[in-house]
Amino acid sequence: IYCDCGYAADTEAARVGIENQHHPAQELEKVHTPKVATMDELASFLNVSKKATVKSMALHDSDGKCVLVLLPGDHDLNEVKAERELGPDFSMMEAEDLEKLGLVKGFIGPINLNPSVKVVADISLKNLNSWVLGANELDYHYVGAKPGKDFEISEFKDLALAQEGDICPKCGQKLRTARGIEVSQIFKLGTKYSEALHSSFVDENGEEKPFVMGCYGIGVSRSLAAIIEQHHDEYGIIWPVSVAPYEMSVIPLQLDDELIWPLAQKLAQDLTNAGIEVVLDDRDERAGVKFADNDLMGFPYQLVLGKRNVEQGKVELKERKTGEKQLLDIDEAVRVISDRIKGERK
């Protein structure tokens, strides 16, 4: 999730502003809402925005205690944040657990709640003074519910999953979403390992203290995946020269030809000697198969040796990115290709 101001974060980690809408009801009112069990159905039935509704989720924390989590009606629970607040083994309550606590699936809410259930609300609901939520009674919801008067909230926590249209915490504009890929990580290690290893320093007051540690890493395999995500087409990978496993492939189309195969070997060796990373496609396959496979693997450049061109003293250079083809004199091919590829490395 990102903003033009430069703010960007994984949706699971983002701390954003969420717009809610106050329901106009002034007093608590129980409304008959037959067969209305989803937030979309509720908003449609009451003719209000989902932003004016509150979603209630009944969960067990890691200790097995019952927790009712309240979220904006148009947002989902962020499970990563929920783990941090409720423990890694939190889970949804089963039907029999709901029944024991007097909670009605599809109509759950915090009013007249069993006192053993802790109520935790998303922090975005803190300033919402008129709530639309479940009545814990089949086919009924409340409108105009007020926290502190009609029900109590134990804690406000950051629990909602960020989504497009939320408010940027940096500049206040609306956020947008895009697909991303995680290529690096930062871990806060604290003093866990420095204490175990008795690794310490003496501070300005002469006190010995453990180092506060962190580790930072860029994943090679993740980076490659990100590069391919940005550099590909319907035929396969298009490696940029700067990161290509091989910068060019040499493709002889007839291995049994007395001109083509020796020339292919010589050109591959001369290019290697010139500092170019080369792969020689020495497979006994049809031309179409070789072309398709070389496109799929994404070599930035392909040097194709066909019978007619070689007899005329030419070889064909193909740029994978553009598909552009150029005939080169055999005697000039190594120099032209070398200059071109080395220029793209910079």
Side-chain angles (χ1 to χ4, degrees), residues 250-288:
V250 175
I251 309 172
L253 299 184
Q254 291 92 22
L255 294 183
D256 56 356
D257 187 274
E258 60 183 13
L259 290 177
I260 292 177
W261 177 238
L263 179 60
Q265 291 178 298
K266 182 179 186 305
L267 288 173
Q269 187 59 58
D270 289 347
L271 286 163
T272 300
N273 294 341
I276 306 302
E277 296 171 325
V278 181
V279 61
L280 175 60
D281 190 346
D282 60 357
R283 298 173 303 155
D284 187 14
E285 291 282 2
R286 291 179 290 107

mmCIF file of all heavy atoms in Angstrom, residues 250-288:
data_model
loop_
_atom_site.group_PDB
_atom_site.id
_atom_site.type_symbol
_atom_site.label_atom_id
_atom_site.label_comp_id
_atom_site.label_asym_id
_atom_site.label_seq_id
_atom_site.Cartn_x
_atom_site.Cartn_y
_atom_site.Cartn_z
ATOM 1 N N VAL A 250 24.810 -18.206 -28.168
ATOM 2 C CA VAL A 250 25.200 -18.445 -29.554
ATOM 3 C C VAL A 250 24.411 -19.657 -30.027
ATOM 4 O O VAL A 250 24.475 -20.734 -29.414
ATOM 5 C CB VAL A 250 26.714 -18.681 -29.679
ATOM 6 C CG1 VAL A 250 27.077 -19.055 -31.122
ATOM 7 C CG2 VAL A 250 27.481 -17.443 -29.234
ATOM 8 N N ILE A 251 23.648 -19.485 -31.134
ATOM 9 C CA ILE A 251 22.696 -20.521 -31.557
ATOM 10 C C ILE A 251 23.032 -20.993 -32.977
ATOM 11 O O ILE A 251 22.630 -20.369 -33.974
ATOM 12 C CB ILE A 251 21.248 -19.971 -31.525
ATOM 13 C CG1 ILE A 251 20.942 -19.322 -30.173
ATOM 14 C CG2 ILE A 251 20.248 -21.080 -31.831
ATOM 15 C CD1 ILE A 251 19.609 -18.586 -30.136
ATOM 16 N N PRO A 252 23.781 -22.077 -33.093
ATOM 17 C CA PRO A 252 24.011 -22.671 -34.424
ATOM 18 C C PRO A 252 22.789 -23.498 -34.825
ATOM 19 O O PRO A 252 22.304 -24.321 -34.040
ATOM 20 C CB PRO A 252 25.231 -23.565 -34.196
ATOM 21 C CG PRO A 252 25.184 -23.925 -32.739
ATOM 22 C CD PRO A 252 24.533 -22.781 -32.028
ATOM 23 N N LEU A 253 22.289 -23.285 -36.030
ATOM 24 C CA LEU A 253 21.057 -23.963 -36.434
ATOM 25 C C LEU A 253 21.306 -25.341 -37.051
ATOM 26 O O LEU A 253 20.385 -26.152 -37.113
ATOM 27 C CB LEU A 253 20.281 -23.078 -37.421
ATOM 28 C CG LEU A 253 19.836 -21.715 -36.867
ATOM 29 C CD1 LEU A 253 18.987 -20.984 -37.897
ATOM 30 C CD2 LEU A 253 19.083 -21.880 -35.559
ATOM 31 N N GLN A 254 22.514 -25.609 -37.538
ATOM 32 C CA GLN A 254 22.850 -26.942 -38.071
ATOM 33 C C GLN A 254 24.180 -27.387 -37.448
ATOM 34 O O GLN A 254 25.243 -26.888 -37.827
ATOM 35 C CB GLN A 254 22.970 -26.924 -39.603
ATOM 36 C CG GLN A 254 21.654 -26.719 -40.345
ATOM 37 C CD GLN A 254 21.384 -25.262 -40.640
ATOM 38 O OE1 GLN A 254 22.285 -24.441 -40.675
ATOM 39 N NE2 GLN A 254 20.116 -24.939 -40.841
ATOM 40 N N LEU A 255 24.117 -28.320 -36.522
ATOM 41 C CA LEU A 255 25.338 -28.769 -35.838
ATOM 42 C C LEU A 255 26.226 -29.612 -36.747
ATOM 43 O O LEU A 255 27.438 -29.705 -36.523
ATOM 44 C CB LEU A 255 24.973 -29.576 -34.585
ATOM 45 C CG LEU A 255 24.261 -28.808 -33.455
ATOM 46 C CD1 LEU A 255 24.030 -29.732 -32.271
ATOM 47 C CD2 LEU A 255 25.077 -27.595 -33.021
ATOM 48 N N ASP A 256 25.647 -30.254 -37.763
ATOM 49 C CA ASP A 256 26.437 -31.140 -38.627
ATOM 50 C C ASP A 256 27.026 -30.410 -39.837
ATOM 51 O O ASP A 256 27.639 -31.025 -40.705
ATOM 52 C CB ASP A 256 25.581 -32.321 -39.115
ATOM 53 C CG ASP A 256 24.317 -31.872 -39.841
ATOM 54 O OD1 ASP A 256 24.064 -30.641 -39.909
ATOM 55 O OD2 ASP A 256 23.576 -32.749 -40.314
ATOM 56 N N ASP A 257 26.851 -29.090 -39.880
ATOM 57 C CA ASP A 257 27.365 -28.325 -41.006
ATOM 58 C C ASP A 257 28.832 -27.962 -40.764
ATOM 59 O O ASP A 257 29.196 -27.484 -39.682
ATOM 60 C CB ASP A 257 26.538 -27.042 -41.193
ATOM 61 C CG ASP A 257 26.925 -26.292 -42.453
ATOM 62 O OD1 ASP A 257 27.879 -25.488 -42.385
ATOM 63 O OD2 ASP A 257 26.271 -26.519 -43.484
ATOM 64 N N GLU A 258 29.660 -28.175 -41.770
ATOM 65 C CA GLU A 258 31.100 -27.978 -41.608
ATOM 66 C C GLU A 258 31.494 -26.509 -41.464
ATOM 67 O O GLU A 258 32.608 -26.197 -41.020
ATOM 68 C CB GLU A 258 31.843 -28.605 -42.791
ATOM 69 C CG GLU A 258 31.464 -28.011 -44.133
ATOM 70 C CD GLU A 258 32.174 -28.706 -45.306
ATOM 71 O OE1 GLU A 258 32.753 -29.795 -45.082
ATOM 72 O OE2 GLU A 258 32.141 -28.161 -46.419
ATOM 73 N N LEU A 259 30.599 -25.601 -41.848
ATOM 74 C CA LEU A 259 30.865 -24.174 -41.649
ATOM 75 C C LEU A 259 30.292 -23.665 -40.325
ATOM 76 O O LEU A 259 30.956 -22.950 -39.568
ATOM 77 C CB LEU A 259 30.258 -23.351 -42.804
ATOM 78 C CG LEU A 259 30.917 -23.468 -44.177
ATOM 79 C CD1 LEU A 259 30.142 -22.645 -45.194
ATOM 80 C CD2 LEU A 259 32.373 -22.983 -44.100
ATOM 81 N N ILE A 260 29.039 -24.031 -40.056
ATOM 82 C CA ILE A 260 28.301 -23.432 -38.937
ATOM 83 C C ILE A 260 28.859 -23.848 -37.573
ATOM 84 O O ILE A 260 29.125 -22.999 -36.708
ATOM 85 C CB ILE A 260 26.804 -23.783 -39.042
ATOM 86 C CG1 ILE A 260 26.198 -23.070 -40.259
ATOM 87 C CG2 ILE A 260 26.061 -23.382 -37.770
ATOM 88 C CD1 ILE A 260 24.752 -23.409 -40.502
ATOM 89 N N TRP A 261 29.024 -25.141 -37.353
ATOM 90 C CA TRP A 261 29.419 -25.593 -36.005
ATOM 91 C C TRP A 261 30.821 -25.096 -35.614
ATOM 92 O O TRP A 261 30.988 -24.550 -34.506
ATOM 93 C CB TRP A 261 29.319 -27.109 -35.915
ATOM 94 C CG TRP A 261 29.782 -27.658 -34.602
ATOM 95 C CD1 TRP A 261 30.774 -28.570 -34.415
ATOM 96 C CD2 TRP A 261 29.313 -27.319 -33.291
ATOM 97 N NE1 TRP A 261 30.951 -28.831 -33.081
ATOM 98 C CE2 TRP A 261 30.056 -28.078 -32.366
ATOM 99 C CE3 TRP A 261 28.336 -26.445 -32.812
ATOM 100 C CZ2 TRP A 261 29.868 -27.992 -30.991
ATOM 101 C CZ3 TRP A 261 28.134 -26.361 -31.441
ATOM 102 C CH2 TRP A 261 28.891 -27.122 -30.546
ATOM 103 N N PRO A 262 31.839 -25.228 -36.459
ATOM 104 C CA PRO A 262 33.150 -24.686 -36.070
ATOM 105 C C PRO A 262 33.112 -23.172 -35.824
ATOM 106 O O PRO A 262 33.763 -22.667 -34.900
ATOM 107 C CB PRO A 262 34.051 -25.034 -37.265
ATOM 108 C CG PRO A 262 33.391 -26.205 -37.912
ATOM 109 C CD PRO A 262 31.924 -25.952 -37.745
ATOM 110 N N LEU A 263 32.329 -22.460 -36.663
ATOM 111 C CA LEU A 263 32.238 -21.012 -36.491
ATOM 112 C C LEU A 263 31.544 -20.662 -35.176
ATOM 113 O O LEU A 263 31.950 -19.729 -34.468
ATOM 114 C CB LEU A 263 31.470 -20.390 -37.673
ATOM 115 C CG LEU A 263 31.276 -18.874 -37.610
ATOM 116 C CD1 LEU A 263 32.620 -18.143 -37.570
ATOM 117 C CD2 LEU A 263 30.424 -18.388 -38.803
ATOM 118 N N ALA A 264 30.506 -21.416 -34.824
ATOM 119 C CA ALA A 264 29.795 -21.170 -33.569
ATOM 120 C C ALA A 264 30.740 -21.350 -32.385
ATOM 121 O O ALA A 264 30.755 -20.531 -31.453
ATOM 122 C CB ALA A 264 28.604 -22.111 -33.445
ATOM 123 N N GLN A 265 31.533 -22.395 -32.402
ATOM 124 C CA GLN A 265 32.486 -22.630 -31.318
ATOM 125 C C GLN A 265 33.512 -21.492 -31.236
ATOM 126 O O GLN A 265 33.863 -21.031 -30.150
ATOM 127 C CB GLN A 265 33.199 -23.961 -31.545
ATOM 128 C CG GLN A 265 32.299 -25.185 -31.365
ATOM 129 C CD GLN A 265 33.036 -26.473 -31.650
ATOM 130 O OE1 GLN A 265 33.494 -26.695 -32.770
ATOM 131 N NE2 GLN A 265 33.164 -27.322 -30.639
ATOM 132 N N LYS A 266 34.008 -21.067 -32.403
ATOM 133 C CA LYS A 266 35.018 -19.997 -32.434
ATOM 134 C C LYS A 266 34.445 -18.677 -31.915
ATOM 135 O O LYS A 266 35.065 -17.984 -31.096
ATOM 136 C CB LYS A 266 35.542 -19.805 -33.855
ATOM 137 C CG LYS A 266 36.640 -18.729 -33.957
ATOM 138 C CD LYS A 266 37.139 -18.595 -35.379
ATOM 139 C CE LYS A 266 38.328 -17.636 -35.449
ATOM 140 N NZ LYS A 266 38.040 -16.297 -34.871
ATOM 141 N N LEU A 267 33.229 -18.330 -32.364
ATOM 142 C CA LEU A 267 32.624 -17.077 -31.924
ATOM 143 C C LEU A 267 32.329 -17.104 -30.417
ATOM 144 O O LEU A 267 32.542 -16.112 -29.716
ATOM 145 C CB LEU A 267 31.327 -16.805 -32.703
ATOM 146 C CG LEU A 267 31.498 -16.391 -34.164
ATOM 147 C CD1 LEU A 267 30.157 -16.324 -34.875
ATOM 148 C CD2 LEU A 267 32.207 -15.038 -34.255
ATOM 149 N N ALA A 268 31.845 -18.233 -29.922
ATOM 150 C CA ALA A 268 31.571 -18.356 -28.485
ATOM 151 C C ALA A 268 32.855 -18.175 -27.687
ATOM 152 O O ALA A 268 32.864 -17.486 -26.656
ATOM 153 C CB ALA A 268 30.931 -19.712 -28.188
ATOM 154 N N GLN A 269 33.953 -18.778 -28.156
ATOM 155 C CA GLN A 269 35.235 -18.655 -27.453
ATOM 156 C C GLN A 269 35.783 -17.235 -27.557
ATOM 157 O O GLN A 269 36.279 -16.676 -26.554
ATOM 158 C CB GLN A 269 36.246 -19.643 -28.030
ATOM 159 C CG GLN A 269 37.550 -19.714 -27.250
ATOM 160 C CD GLN A 269 37.331 -20.114 -25.800
ATOM 161 O OE1 GLN A 269 36.769 -21.175 -25.532
ATOM 162 N NE2 GLN A 269 37.765 -19.288 -24.862
ATOM 163 N N ASP A 270 35.684 -16.627 -28.743
ATOM 164 C CA ASP A 270 36.188 -15.258 -28.915
ATOM 165 C C ASP A 270 35.401 -14.267 -28.047
ATOM 166 O O ASP A 270 35.979 -13.339 -27.468
ATOM 167 C CB ASP A 270 36.106 -14.846 -30.388
ATOM 168 C CG ASP A 270 37.124 -15.580 -31.257
ATOM 169 O OD1 ASP A 270 38.042 -16.209 -30.681
ATOM 170 O OD2 ASP A 270 36.984 -15.533 -32.500
ATOM 171 N N LEU A 271 34.104 -14.458 -27.949
ATOM 172 C CA LEU A 271 33.280 -13.595 -27.098
ATOM 173 C C LEU A 271 33.639 -13.780 -25.629
ATOM 174 O O LEU A 271 33.728 -12.816 -24.864
ATOM 175 C CB LEU A 271 31.791 -13.887 -27.327
ATOM 176 C CG LEU A 271 31.208 -13.354 -28.647
ATOM 177 C CD1 LEU A 271 29.880 -14.027 -28.966
ATOM 178 C CD2 LEU A 271 31.031 -11.834 -28.576
ATOM 179 N N THR A 272 33.861 -15.018 -25.232
ATOM 180 C CA THR A 272 34.279 -15.303 -23.852
ATOM 181 C C THR A 272 35.613 -14.631 -23.560
ATOM 182 O O THR A 272 35.798 -14.014 -22.506
ATOM 183 C CB THR A 272 34.384 -16.820 -23.620
ATOM 184 O OG1 THR A 272 33.098 -17.422 -23.846
ATOM 185 C CG2 THR A 272 34.836 -17.119 -22.202
ATOM 186 N N ASN A 273 36.553 -14.742 -24.505
ATOM 187 C CA ASN A 273 37.867 -14.108 -24.332
ATOM 188 C C ASN A 273 37.747 -12.581 -24.247
ATOM 189 O O ASN A 273 38.575 -11.923 -23.610
ATOM 190 C CB ASN A 273 38.800 -14.484 -25.493
ATOM 191 C CG ASN A 273 39.143 -15.960 -25.487
ATOM 192 O OD1 ASN A 273 39.001 -16.648 -24.470
ATOM 193 N ND2 ASN A 273 39.598 -16.473 -26.639
ATOM 194 N N ALA A 274 36.690 -12.044 -24.861
ATOM 195 C CA ALA A 274 36.472 -10.595 -24.835
ATOM 196 C C ALA A 274 35.752 -10.152 -23.559
ATOM 197 O O ALA A 274 35.467 -8.967 -23.384
ATOM 198 C CB ALA A 274 35.672 -10.162 -26.059
ATOM 199 N N GLY A 275 35.458 -11.121 -22.693
ATOM 200 C CA GLY A 275 34.831 -10.783 -21.412
ATOM 201 C C GLY A 275 33.317 -10.856 -21.398
ATOM 202 O O GLY A 275 32.675 -10.376 -20.469
ATOM 203 N N ILE A 276 32.744 -11.470 -22.420
ATOM 204 C CA ILE A 276 31.289 -11.622 -22.490
ATOM 205 C C ILE A 276 30.903 -12.991 -21.932
ATOM 206 O O ILE A 276 31.572 -13.996 -22.204
ATOM 207 C CB ILE A 276 30.788 -11.489 -23.947
ATOM 208 C CG1 ILE A 276 31.291 -10.171 -24.558
ATOM 209 C CG2 ILE A 276 29.269 -11.562 -23.998
ATOM 210 C CD1 ILE A 276 30.874 -8.930 -23.799
ATOM 211 N N GLU A 277 29.834 -13.026 -21.138
ATOM 212 C CA GLU A 277 29.361 -14.297 -20.575
ATOM 213 C C GLU A 277 28.449 -14.972 -21.597
ATOM 214 O O GLU A 277 27.362 -14.465 -21.907
ATOM 215 C CB GLU A 277 28.628 -14.034 -19.261
ATOM 216 C CG GLU A 277 29.561 -13.451 -18.184
ATOM 217 C CD GLU A 277 28.813 -12.992 -16.944
ATOM 218 O OE1 GLU A 277 27.677 -12.489 -17.089
ATOM 219 O OE2 GLU A 277 29.356 -13.133 -15.844
ATOM 220 N N VAL A 278 28.897 -16.115 -22.106
ATOM 221 C CA VAL A 278 28.259 -16.745 -23.264
ATOM 222 C C VAL A 278 27.820 -18.162 -22.930
ATOM 223 O O VAL A 278 28.516 -18.900 -22.216
ATOM 224 C CB VAL A 278 29.236 -16.796 -24.458
ATOM 225 C CG1 VAL A 278 28.572 -17.438 -25.673
ATOM 226 C CG2 VAL A 278 29.730 -15.397 -24.800
ATOM 227 N N VAL A 279 26.654 -18.552 -23.479
ATOM 228 C CA VAL A 279 26.253 -19.952 -23.462
ATOM 229 C C VAL A 279 26.080 -20.395 -24.920
ATOM 230 O O VAL A 279 25.516 -19.663 -25.733
ATOM 231 C CB VAL A 279 24.948 -20.171 -22.661
ATOM 232 C CG1 VAL A 279 23.783 -19.406 -23.246
ATOM 233 C CG2 VAL A 279 24.611 -21.661 -22.580
ATOM 234 N N LEU A 280 26.627 -21.551 -25.236
ATOM 235 C CA LEU A 280 26.553 -22.092 -26.595
ATOM 236 C C LEU A 280 25.463 -23.159 -26.635
ATOM 237 O O LEU A 280 25.538 -24.165 -25.925
ATOM 238 C CB LEU A 280 27.903 -22.695 -26.992
ATOM 239 C CG LEU A 280 27.980 -23.415 -28.340
ATOM 240 C CD1 LEU A 280 27.632 -22.473 -29.479
ATOM 241 C CD2 LEU A 280 29.371 -24.018 -28.545
ATOM 242 N N ASP A 281 24.443 -22.919 -27.429
ATOM 243 C CA ASP A 281 23.327 -23.864 -27.536
ATOM 244 C C ASP A 281 23.715 -24.979 -28.501
ATOM 245 O O ASP A 281 23.509 -24.881 -29.716
ATOM 246 C CB ASP A 281 22.063 -23.135 -28.012
ATOM 247 C CG ASP A 281 20.818 -24.015 -27.920
ATOM 248 O OD1 ASP A 281 20.968 -25.242 -27.740
ATOM 249 O OD2 ASP A 281 19.698 -23.465 -28.014
ATOM 250 N N ASP A 282 24.285 -26.040 -27.946
ATOM 251 C CA ASP A 282 24.783 -27.135 -28.786
ATOM 252 C C ASP A 282 23.805 -28.305 -28.853
ATOM 253 O O ASP A 282 24.183 -29.432 -29.175
ATOM 254 C CB ASP A 282 26.144 -27.621 -28.275
ATOM 255 C CG ASP A 282 26.069 -28.125 -26.831
ATOM 256 O OD1 ASP A 282 24.980 -28.047 -26.228
ATOM 257 O OD2 ASP A 282 27.107 -28.589 -26.316
ATOM 258 N N ARG A 283 22.559 -28.050 -28.606
ATOM 259 C CA ARG A 283 21.551 -29.111 -28.657
ATOM 260 C C ARG A 283 21.160 -29.426 -30.104
ATOM 261 O O ARG A 283 21.064 -28.516 -30.932
ATOM 262 C CB ARG A 283 20.291 -28.696 -27.875
ATOM 263 C CG ARG A 283 20.539 -28.445 -26.392
ATOM 264 C CD ARG A 283 19.293 -27.871 -25.724
ATOM 265 N NE ARG A 283 18.872 -26.630 -26.381
ATOM 266 C CZ ARG A 283 17.626 -26.162 -26.358
ATOM 267 N NH1 ARG A 283 16.678 -26.835 -25.735
ATOM 268 N NH2 ARG A 283 17.340 -25.018 -26.963
ATOM 269 N N ASP A 284 20.920 -30.681 -30.364
ATOM 270 C CA ASP A 284 20.489 -31.105 -31.694
ATOM 271 C C ASP A 284 18.968 -31.007 -31.757
ATOM 272 O O ASP A 284 18.248 -32.001 -31.690
ATOM 273 C CB ASP A 284 20.952 -32.535 -31.966
ATOM 274 C CG ASP A 284 20.682 -32.963 -33.407
ATOM 275 O OD1 ASP A 284 20.396 -32.067 -34.234
ATOM 276 O OD2 ASP A 284 20.729 -34.169 -33.684
ATOM 277 N N GLU A 285 18.481 -29.757 -31.848
ATOM 278 C CA GLU A 285 17.039 -29.489 -31.873
ATOM 279 C C GLU A 285 16.698 -28.656 -33.102
ATOM 280 O O GLU A 285 17.545 -28.015 -33.714
ATOM 281 C CB GLU A 285 16.612 -28.711 -30.612
ATOM 282 C CG GLU A 285 16.694 -29.505 -29.314
ATOM 283 C CD GLU A 285 15.521 -30.471 -29.155
ATOM 284 O OE1 GLU A 285 14.666 -30.549 -30.067
ATOM 285 O OE2 GLU A 285 15.471 -31.156 -28.116
ATOM 286 N N ARG A 286 15.395 -28.649 -33.418
ATOM 287 C CA ARG A 286 14.921 -27.820 -34.528
ATOM 288 C C ARG A 286 15.107 -26.340 -34.192
ATOM 289 O O ARG A 286 15.140 -25.946 -33.026
ATOM 290 C CB ARG A 286 13.444 -28.106 -34.796
ATOM 291 C CG ARG A 286 13.170 -29.488 -35.371
ATOM 292 C CD ARG A 286 11.675 -29.726 -35.584
ATOM 293 N NE ARG A 286 10.963 -29.847 -34.317
ATOM 294 C CZ ARG A 286 10.156 -28.925 -33.818
ATOM 295 N NH1 ARG A 286 9.966 -27.782 -34.489
ATOM 296 N NH2 ARG A 286 9.529 -29.121 -32.679
ATOM 297 N N ALA A 287 15.207 -25.526 -35.245
ATOM 298 C CA ALA A 287 15.431 -24.093 -35.040
ATOM 299 C C ALA A 287 14.334 -23.473 -34.182
ATOM 300 O O ALA A 287 14.606 -22.661 -33.279
ATOM 301 C CB ALA A 287 15.509 -23.392 -36.398
ATOM 302 N N GLY A 288 13.074 -23.840 -34.424
ATOM 303 C CA GLY A 288 11.965 -23.266 -33.665
ATOM 304 C C GLY A 288 12.062 -23.549 -32.181
ATOM 305 O O GLY A 288 11.729 -22.699 -31.348
#
